[in-house]
């Protein structure tokens, strides 16, 4: 990224140039979630259902996630749905189910909060708060999340510029919370839904890394909307140097037709295992040393 592009950004405390401990561009501010480092040498995988729909479904997926070797589980209790008539999630009961899954599996829990008034409740059940794409510029929510001491997963709005995304992260940091992980989840370039929900913007990873030491992970599930594309794009994200992946999972093909949210994009457990094995092939994560 050119000097000029960097100079266009305001002086945010999260930029390397304003955060002296991280002036070396190869360093990352590691965010630890339930004992799992995001931004360390290992690619961290957060996997689980789109939505917590029942105890059986969520527990089954939790056990499969654990067996595949991931240590963090995602799952929405409060769901941002395009239509107000779609299933909105189980709410507080969903949070209780996630806690039960953590008790049995030991997985750290990542779940979305949409309402600033619910930050405290969600934080008391989860290990990391997710702020979804649609909420990226919900400033009261960002401020409330910043006042909690929780690690925050900040997804990029599908139309946000890099500057808007970093400014959103700064709202959280300004309140004293720098434990922020950025998540690229696809941008809307045009009506691509014939083959893919959005376009995964891997271009953004390197500029993010140059500008800020915050870890950045990639969500190929929401970017594609199609489980068959999730493994290839996970491979691409790892090759591009992602610090982690966010992957939606289903229990089995038999479960898929009955799911109330994002049924087409959850990978079956066998594909999650394949993705986990990609994350262990460390040569993929090596950043080229540069060209002489
Ligand atoms: C999600 O991760 O469950 C989700 C709704 O994703 P996004 O906010 O990226 O659409
Ligand atoms: Mn989803």
């Amino acid at each position: 990224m050119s000097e000029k592009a960097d100079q266009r950004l305001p002086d945010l405390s999260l930029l390397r140039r304003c955060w002296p401990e991280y002036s070396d561009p190869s360093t990352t501010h590691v965010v630890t979630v339930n004992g799992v480092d995001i931004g360390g040498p290992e690619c961290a995988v957060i996997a689980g259902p789109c939505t917590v729909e029942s105890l059986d479904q969520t527990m089954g997926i939790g056990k499969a996630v654990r067996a595949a070797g991931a240590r963090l589980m995602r799952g929405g209790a409060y769901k941002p749905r395009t239509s107000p008539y779609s299933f909105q999630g189980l709410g507080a009961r969903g949070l209780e189910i996630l806690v039960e899954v953590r008790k049995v599996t030991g997985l750290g829990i990542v779940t979305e909060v949409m309402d600033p008034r619910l930050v405290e409740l969600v934080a008391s059940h989860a290990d990391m708060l997710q702020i979804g794409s649609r909420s990226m510029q919900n400033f009261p929510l960002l401020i409330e999340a910043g006042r909690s001491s929780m690690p925050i997963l900040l997804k990029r709005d599908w139309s946000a510029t890099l500057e808007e995304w970093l400014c959103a992260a700064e709202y959280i940091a300004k309140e004293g919370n720098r434990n922020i992980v950025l998540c690229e989840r696809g941008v809307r370039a045009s009506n691509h839904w014939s083959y893919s929900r959005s376009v995964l913007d891997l271009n953004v990873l390197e500029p993010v890394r140059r500008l800020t030491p915050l870890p950045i992970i990639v969500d190929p599930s929401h970017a594609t909307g199609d489980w068959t594309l999730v493994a290839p794009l996970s491979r691409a994200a790892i090759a591009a140097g992602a610090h982690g992946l966010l992957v939606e999972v289903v229990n089995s093909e038999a479960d898929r037709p009955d799911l109330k949210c994002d049924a087409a994009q959850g990978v079956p457990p066998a594909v999650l295992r394949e993705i986990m094995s990609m994350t262990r092939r460390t040569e993929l994560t090596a950043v080229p040393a540069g060209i002489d």
Side-chain angles (χ1 to χ4, degrees):
M1 195 181 41
S2 69
E3 284 279 298
K4 264 201 179 142
D6 184 1
Q7 282 157 12
R8 275 202 300 271
L9 285 163
D11 277 334
L12 307 175
S13 72
L14 291 173
L15 297 184
R16 287 190 190 278
R17 69 174 185 229
C18 304
W19 196 349
E21 304 95 286
Y22 294 106
S23 55
D24 175 346
S26 67
T27 54
T28 307
H29 176 66
V30 174
V31 176
T32 305
V33 181
N34 199 41
V36 180
D37 285 347
I38 308 180
E42 284 174 33
C43 179
V45 177
I46 305 170
C50 171
T51 304
V52 175
E53 299 194 18
S54 70
L55 176 60
D56 277 1
Q57 166 246 12
T58 311
M59 189 67 80
I61 295 176
K63 287 178 179 169
V65 165
R66 182 74 227 199
R71 291 160 67 203
L72 297 172
M73 162 115 168
R74 60 147 289 134
Y78 296 92
K79 291 302 300 176
R81 302 306 301 277
T82 302
S83 165
Y85 302 112
S86 301
F87 176 57
Q88 304 284 311
L90 294 178
R93 173 68 191 136
L95 296 177
E96 285 165 13
I97 290 174
L98 288 168
V99 168
E100 289 185 45
V101 173
R102 178 174 53 205
K103 263 190 222 145
V104 171
T105 62
L107 294 165
I109 299 299
V110 183
T111 194
E112 177 157 355
V113 59
M114 292 189 290
D115 183 334
R117 294 166 298 185
L118 291 181
V119 167
E120 211 180 313
L121 175 72
V122 178
S124 68
H125 292 75
D127 298 292
M128 178 180 226
L129 302 180
Q130 174 173 319
I131 296 188
S133 300
R134 294 159 188 78
S135 299
M136 193 203 84
Q137 285 187 318
N138 179 339
F139 301 121
L141 176 63
L142 297 171
I143 291 168
E144 210 49 46
R147 289 180 183 163
S148 78
S149 54
M150 298 291 287
I152 309 292
L153 183 64
L154 180 62
K155 299 189 90 174
R156 181 186 184 185
D157 171 351
W158 55 70
S159 64
T161 63
L162 175 50
E163 176 173 351
E164 288 162 343
W165 192 13
L166 292 176
C167 283
E170 188 74 19
Y171 268 89
I172 299 168
K174 187 168 175 281
E175 300 303 316
N177 184 356
R178 288 177 161 187
N179 286 326
I180 304 164
V181 175
L182 300 170
C183 179
E184 158 59 30
R185 50 77 74 210
V187 292
R188 189 175 285 174
S190 60
N191 188 5
H192 281 269
W193 187 232
S194 58
Y195 69 92
S196 170
R197 191 169 172 173
S198 293
V199 176
L200 184 60
D201 182 15
L202 292 179
N203 299 18
V204 83
L205 265 65
E206 192 56 26
V208 163
R209 240 194 318 269
R210 289 181 200 171
L211 284 170
T212 173
L214 295 180
I216 176 160
I217 72 167
V218 168
D219 170 359
S221 302
H222 291 88
T224 61
D226 175 349
W227 74 264
T228 67
L229 302 180
V230 170
L233 285 176
S234 297
R235 186 187 301 280
I238 295 165
H243 295 115
L245 298 170
L246 187 82
V247 178
E248 287 192 350
V249 181
V250 297
N251 273 309
S252 66
E253 287 310 315
D255 276 16
R256 196 185 295 283
D258 294 327
L259 292 173
K260 297 189 179 85
C261 191
D262 287 349
Q265 70 197 32
V267 297
V271 175
L272 178 64
R273 291 195 291 275
E274 186 192 327
I275 292 168
M276 291 304 298
S277 75
M278 288 174 197
T279 67
R280 294 186 199 103
R281 279 183 237 131
T282 48
E283 70 273 15
L284 284 177
T285 62
V287 176
I291 300 162
D292 285 327

